[in-house]
Amino acid sequence: MSDPEDPQLEARLAEQETFEPPAEFVEQANVSDPGIYEAFADAWPACWERAADLLDWETDYDEVLVEDDEPFYEWFVGGELNASANCLDRHLDERGEDLAIQWEGELGDTRRFTYRELHREVNECAAALRELGVEEDDVVTMYMPMIPELPVAMLACARIGAPHSVVFAGFSAEALATRMNAADSEFLVTCDGYYRRGDALDHVSKANEGLAGVDHGTTTVVVDRLGDDLDHELGDDQVGYDDRLAEHAGADVAPVTRDAEDMLFLMYTSGTTGRPKGVKHTTGGYLSYVAWTSHAVLDVDPADTYWCAADIGWITGHSYIVYGPLALGTTSVMYEGTPDYPDKDRLWEIVDTYDVTQMYTAPTAIRAFMKWGEKYPAGHDLSSLRLLGTVGEPINPKAWKWYYRHIGEESCPVVDTWWQTETGGMMITTLPGIGTMKPGAAGPPLPGIGAQVVDADGEAVAAGEAGYLTVQRPWPGMLRTLYRNDERFIDEYWAEYSDPESDEWVYFPEDGAKIDGDGYVTVLGRVDDVVNVSGHRLGTMEIESAIVAVEGVAEAAAVGGAHDVKGEAVYAYVILEDGAEQSDDMEQRIIQGVEDAIGAIARPDTVIFTPELPKTRSGKIMRRLLEDIANDDDLGNTSTLRNPDVVEDIEAKVRGD
Ligand code: PRX
């Protein structure tokens, strides 16, 4: 293990711009032949058979890809399979007694499920749901925190061919109702509550409030997570999970045969307009794609103890806690709580205890770890780790290097994976057994993925120039449509850069990006996060990265505010590390840091020091709100924030300036 206090090492890492995959990792990597890029390009779309081959099919597909009705692509056409059978039944003979899920509650309680035990509970849950009236193609909503019953219920739905729609437990009652109404979902699986920072949190009241806003009849299953810590009563049309499963103890439910293109699940995600978009994913394409990327990028093997520290309420948890790892028969760790309870080393204690081999988390978490300091990971043995991953937002080089050094101890490749709810799985990242890593750049598109950075006219931009990320080829994990709204599907994702007349269909993820001479993509953020200063387009993420690189800075958000002369000026909201001092000198260093990294054009006009940034419940910085503050605009409703109080403080600072 490297000495965490070694200043020379710190200086070398700060300067180093590229990193090679560790030889020890390459030797054992699932994918280590650089020829894979060419092999996929030469055999496209047949190359995707490799992904489909990771699954068991009841009926072989006739065609890999059908493009008769673009952009409504169809994958593995004619094939039939069941996702729950692929995640459970097929593993029973070989590894029925191996652990599928190792769950840890926030209070330290643990639950372990072997593949056989998980299979048993999923069968019982499937039987119970059926008896309650769930039929094939009925949408079952789930509103649950990180407890094992959530993946159980998802797999039970998959088993009986009922698509699930998981609503993140941190969402409001109103959000739940909106989603249930939009999907005409008549079934809900929820729980009484869960633990947060040691307190028993009532969840079922919120679920009930949401149900009151549902415009049709519903049946609800309630899991008892809190026992005596929270009394709850079942209302009409509500049943207890344990009772129902007990009634079906030992039940066998044959997995329903699903067409490859049948819907596996719906996931509502936010768009530029207020109404959530119901992203539809299918059984064959999605499952093949998440199994393939888990294998190739996360390097998952059955013998691993893999940990994705996301929440199943988001796509990352669907793809890389539930479906990908279980399809590959590995052991997954699942953690209920927060990373700083009872102390800031909780995650490292879990890595140490379970001998976690891969860890996949978000840059925002890494920046929090950085702020807390390296003493927390340093107190634990993290040598079991062999790969690290990040997802969800751009990771600035400083955070990347901190993760690489203090968590990976310089012996784990870091995969910075760009993708979206809509893409189903990873799209742009280095392959950990092959690619040189460049902190800050996600990497090249994965084999078989066609991605380009283009200008407003759809022409490829020169290396180093900012533009729009686009995807030129379909891929198996892609969303098939927005639920019951084909028109919006085309408008949102295909209208911008496609040319239907000449049958050229281009997917637009609404992200800004640049690409370097080696084909590495740096994602700059959503295009609505781009500021235009004197006609120059600047990624707020780039500015933030520059600010965060300044010594003493923990986190930053940069937004554009109206400016008489420049059009927009940069406002920088900055959180300092514990112990760093707010001062004119610090402000100057921040401004200089931005000028040095990007150019004088990006200099922040205003630097606002703040102890916190307004964040959504999913942990994303609410840049729009910071823009409104900068622009002196009406802030609208801030109650959906994780920390609404911080807004007033920041507003007072900016407007008092
Ligand atoms: O802006 C990109 C950012 O997250 C968006 C997708 O968000 P969501 O659908 O919630 O899915 C998050 C988990 C896959 C993208 O449009 N994003 C995601 N991963 C990265 C990223 N930005 C930069 N680098 C990434 N690795």
Side-chain angles (χ1 to χ4, degrees), residues 468-485:
Y468 302 99
L469 185 58
T470 53
V471 183
Q472 276 69 22
R473 280 178 165 179
W475 64 102
M478 68 196 301
L479 80 166
R480 296 301 191 269
T481 191
L482 291 178
Y483 192 51
R484 297 180 176 164
N485 203 339

Side-chain angles (χ1 to χ4, degrees), residues 260-379:
E261 281 294 301
D262 279 342
M263 174 159 52
L264 178 61
F265 67 86
L266 258 181
M267 166 133 252
Y268 282 94
T269 185
S270 317
T272 28
T273 62
R275 224 160 23 98
K277 307 188 270 195
V279 170
K280 175 184 162 179
H281 282 295
T282 58
T283 312
Y286 171 84
L287 197 62
S288 303
Y289 197 68
V290 297
W292 164 251
T293 43
S294 298
H295 167 84
V297 181
L298 297 173
D299 204 51
V300 167
D301 284 318
D304 291 333
T305 300
Y306 154 88
W307 185 18
C308 169
D311 192 294
I312 295 177
W314 306 111
I315 192 69
T316 304
H318 279 51
S319 302
Y320 299 112
I321 296 178
V322 182
Y323 287 109
L326 293 177
L328 296 182
T330 196
T331 302
S332 265
V333 172
M334 193 178 157
Y335 172 54
E336 176 186 40
T338 47
D340 55 352
Y341 186 85
D343 204 351
K344 297 185 175 79
D345 66 343
R346 183 62 186 271
L347 302 194
W348 318 125
E349 184 189 277
I350 292 175
V351 170
D352 192 347
T353 307
Y354 294 95
D355 286 332
V356 170
T357 43
Q358 293 102 324
M359 178 152 190
Y360 192 32
T361 188
T364 182
I366 297 165
R367 290 193 298 264
F369 306 148
M370 242 169 94
K371 185 170 173 236
W372 297 338
E374 58 250 28
K375 70 171 190 222
Y376 293 102

Side-chain angles (χ1 to χ4, degrees), residues 158-174:
R159 196 162 192 89
I160 58 177
H164 51 74
S165 165
V166 179
V167 177
F168 175 57
F171 272 143
S172 65
E174 197 183 315

Side-chain angles (χ1 to χ4, degrees), residues 31 36 40 43 45-57 61 64 75-76 81 86 90 283-296 324 327-328 426 446-449 475-477:
V31 177
I36 190 170
F40 267 60
C47 54
W48 290 113
E49 286 174 17
R50 282 216 215 185
D53 283 349
L54 293 172
L55 304 183
D56 279 1
W57 295 78
Y61 48 87
V64 171
W75 286 90
F76 308 122
L81 74 167
N86 269 284
R90 69 173 176 144
T283 312
Y286 171 84
L287 197 62
S288 303
Y289 197 68
V290 297
W292 164 251
T293 43
S294 298
H295 167 84
L328 296 182
M426 301 157 180
L446 281 171
I449 299 297
W475 64 102

Side-chain angles (χ1 to χ4, degrees), residues 31-215:
V31 177
S32 56
D33 175 5
I36 190 170
Y37 289 94
E38 217 176 301
F40 267 60
D42 289 349
W44 198 92
C47 54
W48 290 113
E49 286 174 17
R50 282 216 215 185
D53 283 349
L54 293 172
L55 304 183
D56 279 1
W57 295 78
E58 286 169 44
T59 311
D60 283 344
Y61 48 87
D62 308 311
E63 278 186 83
V64 171
L65 171 65
V66 170
E67 303 180 85
D68 289 346
D69 182 20
E70 292 165 291
F72 300 96
Y73 298 92
E74 294 180 292
W75 286 90
F76 308 122
V77 176
E80 292 180 319
L81 74 167
N82 179 284
S84 137
N86 269 284
C87 291
L88 301 168
D89 305 48
R90 69 173 176 144
H91 302 312
L92 294 182
D93 279 349
E94 219 177 302
R95 56 185 73 95
E97 313 324 316
D98 290 357
L99 287 174
I101 294 178
Q102 297 215 53
W103 178 85
E104 181 159 315
E106 204 190 60
L107 304 181
D109 41 336
T110 58
R111 289 169 69 189
R112 294 146 62 98
F113 293 80
T114 62
Y115 272 92
R116 197 169 308 286
E117 287 162 345
L118 190 61
H119 176 260
R120 171 96 327 277
E121 186 149 338
V122 166
N123 270 270
E124 290 166 2
C125 183
L129 289 174
R130 244 194 202 153
E131 199 208 312
L132 288 171
V134 178
E135 291 179 7
E136 194 172 349
D137 293 322
D138 285 345
V139 174
V140 178
T141 303
M142 282 156 210
Y143 188 43
M144 272 197 273
M146 289 288 284
I147 55 175
E149 287 80 1
L150 176 53
V152 167
M154 290 163 75
L155 291 166
C157 282
R159 196 162 192 89
I160 58 177
H164 51 74
S165 165
V166 179
V167 177
F168 175 57
F171 272 143
S172 65
E174 197 183 315
L176 172 66
T178 309
R179 285 158 178 75
M180 287 188 78
N181 286 329
D184 278 334
S185 174
E186 295 176 355
F187 300 93
L188 175 68
V189 186
T190 186
C191 72
D192 57 346
Y194 50 104
Y195 294 99
R196 267 300 170 278
R197 299 209 157 79
D199 294 330
L201 216 113
D202 177 10
H203 183 63
V204 72
S205 301
K206 204 164 62 158
N208 286 337
E209 199 187 319
L211 284 168
V214 175
D215 55 21

